[in-house]
Amino acid sequence: YIGCYVDNTRRRALRGVSFFDYKKMTVFRCQDNCAERGYLYAGLEFGAECYCGHKIQAPNASELECNMECKGERSNLCGGANRLSVYRLELAQESARRYGSAIFRGCFHRPENLSMALPVSQRMLNMSVDKCVDFCTEKEYPLSALAGTSCLCGFPTSLFTLHEREDEQLCAQKCPGEEFESCGSPEYLLVYQTQVQDNRCMDRRFLPTRAKQLVALASFPGAGNTWARHLIELATGFYTGSYYFDGSLYNKGFKGERDHWRSGRTICIKTHESGQKEIESFDSAILLIRNPYKALMAEFNRKYGGHIGFASHAHWKGKEWPEFVANYAPWWATHTLDWLRYGRKVLVVHFEDLKRDLFVQLQRMVGLLGITACQDRLLCVEGQKDGNFKRSGLRKLEYDPYTPQMREVIGGYIRTVDTALKLRNLSGVPDDYYPR
């Protein structure tokens, strides 16, 4: 907590995302939502309003003026009338910090061939993050790198991959033009991704000749199949297909969605099927597995709220959720077991590993598809990885929907899948599948 600040409806002290909840606002909820979006500050006002930002553009007020209790927890104060209770957030180093419309990528050592790695530069004696990001945006580059009083622009390439992050303290030299910001140094560059789209991986088409192999992209519902398709299309330049037809996905740009799954024009085919006959109709498969606690909640949200929407509070609290878990949890296990048993040439990819180490996992996936991955294209994918297929975190549940009985049953399924993977000399499920 850093203090009480003046706020103004015409000129906000914190100018990032904001949201309100006049019944259930808590300090943690506000902090969590701002941190998830990569902001440095979270501020609460009027007992129910949450504001996020990167800098506080307002003077301090007396602590006595932040005197309104939070609507969701009477034990804490959530600002006052035109007064913000402000917290500085401790962000995980790898979190994607936003700076206005730019995304923070990290602190990196100066690349060896600087003028080739970051070909456009401008000296700025009054340097700030805004100035450098604006300059590179205007020059139409997706990367903006601050090096003291130099602003550099470019693309992620093999000369500057953004894979080896340094400790942020090495980049912590203050900006000449903005005392609360860091501007890096000639040796250690602070890098932001601008809003400019990296078009090196955006072109997509159907296969020029009919595919000789049918490759499944198999997963339990809610395991991130749509996101994986987005990544594969960007990485290969070819459309993916589907065992089903989903008009909403076709409209979002998945042009292979309308093809019959056996057309041979798509690089792989999405499927949630798990029967022997369906599995044996594919020549090989990428099997995407996700933590069942997360996958079940994602599929429940999709079922009642669409691909990026949310189930309502009434659905979670009603009979729908326990019935859903009873029916779908066993399927989470049998889906993986069936693909391991009946699938030919199955590559197992854990959703969590794909999130954590996208470059390496995507290389494995593209390798199975029989395509040599161009490194610059994969680096481009890293910058475009989210697409439009991520639910916003604003509607996180405020409670754990799983009962102890549900957890006991799901824990048994996790152990069964873990054993089955290890019997095939594969690494078992990630540690975070087990509830702490």
Side-chain angles (χ1 to χ4, degrees), residues 44-93:
L44 294 112
E45 183 170 330
F46 209 64
E49 301 173 2
C50 174
Y51 297 89
C52 313
H54 284 288
K55 50 189 172 188
I56 307 162
Q57 304 184 66
N60 272 98
S62 158
E63 287 301 313
L64 299 173
E65 293 174 39
C66 282
N67 55 11
M68 294 181 75
E69 291 181 328
C70 305
K71 296 292 185 188
E73 50 178 359
R74 295 301 158 108
S75 54
N76 267 323
L77 295 175
C78 282
N82 293 326
R83 295 294 181 265
L84 275 172
S85 299
V86 178
Y87 293 83
R88 184 179 169 87
L89 303 169
E90 294 293 324
L91 295 166
Q93 188 161 311

Side-chain angles (χ1 to χ4, degrees), residues 302-319:
R302 188 205 65 78
K303 194 175 169 75
Y304 290 101
H307 276 282
I308 53 172
F310 292 87
S312 71
H313 188 71
H315 287 130
W316 289 103
K317 286 295 194 184
K319 65 181 193 310

Side-chain angles (χ1 to χ4, degrees), residues 77-189:
L77 295 175
C78 282
N82 293 326
R83 295 294 181 265
L84 275 172
S85 299
V86 178
Y87 293 83
R88 184 179 169 87
L89 303 169
E90 294 293 324
L91 295 166
Q93 188 161 311
E94 62 276 9
S95 73
R97 277 224 286 282
R98 285 199 169 272
Y99 198 94
S101 58
I103 296 169
F104 178 73
R105 294 294 297 268
C107 176
F108 299 91
H109 194 268
R110 172 195 172 102
E112 279 185 22
N113 194 332
L114 187 68
S115 59
M116 280 187 73
L118 297 162
V120 171
S121 66
Q122 173 88 18
R123 198 156 164 71
M124 295 182 178
L125 297 176
N126 201 21
M127 171 77 98
S128 71
V129 177
D130 278 346
K131 288 189 177 73
C132 187
V133 167
D134 286 350
F135 172 73
C136 294
T137 301
E138 196 179 302
K139 297 289 180 188
E140 299 196 344
Y141 283 96
L143 292 185
S144 165
L146 292 85
T149 51
S150 293
C151 173
L152 312 160
C153 315
F155 291 93
T157 62
S158 53
L159 296 171
F160 195 45
T161 62
L162 304 187
H163 286 168
E164 291 173 24
R165 293 170 73 122
E166 302 285 353
D167 185 327
E168 271 182 54
Q169 288 306 310
L170 295 168
C171 285
Q173 286 84 339
K174 294 289 167 230
C175 290
E178 186 64 66
E179 64 170 315
F180 295 116
E181 295 175 359
S182 299
C183 269
S185 71
E187 200 58 31
Y188 289 98
L189 280 51

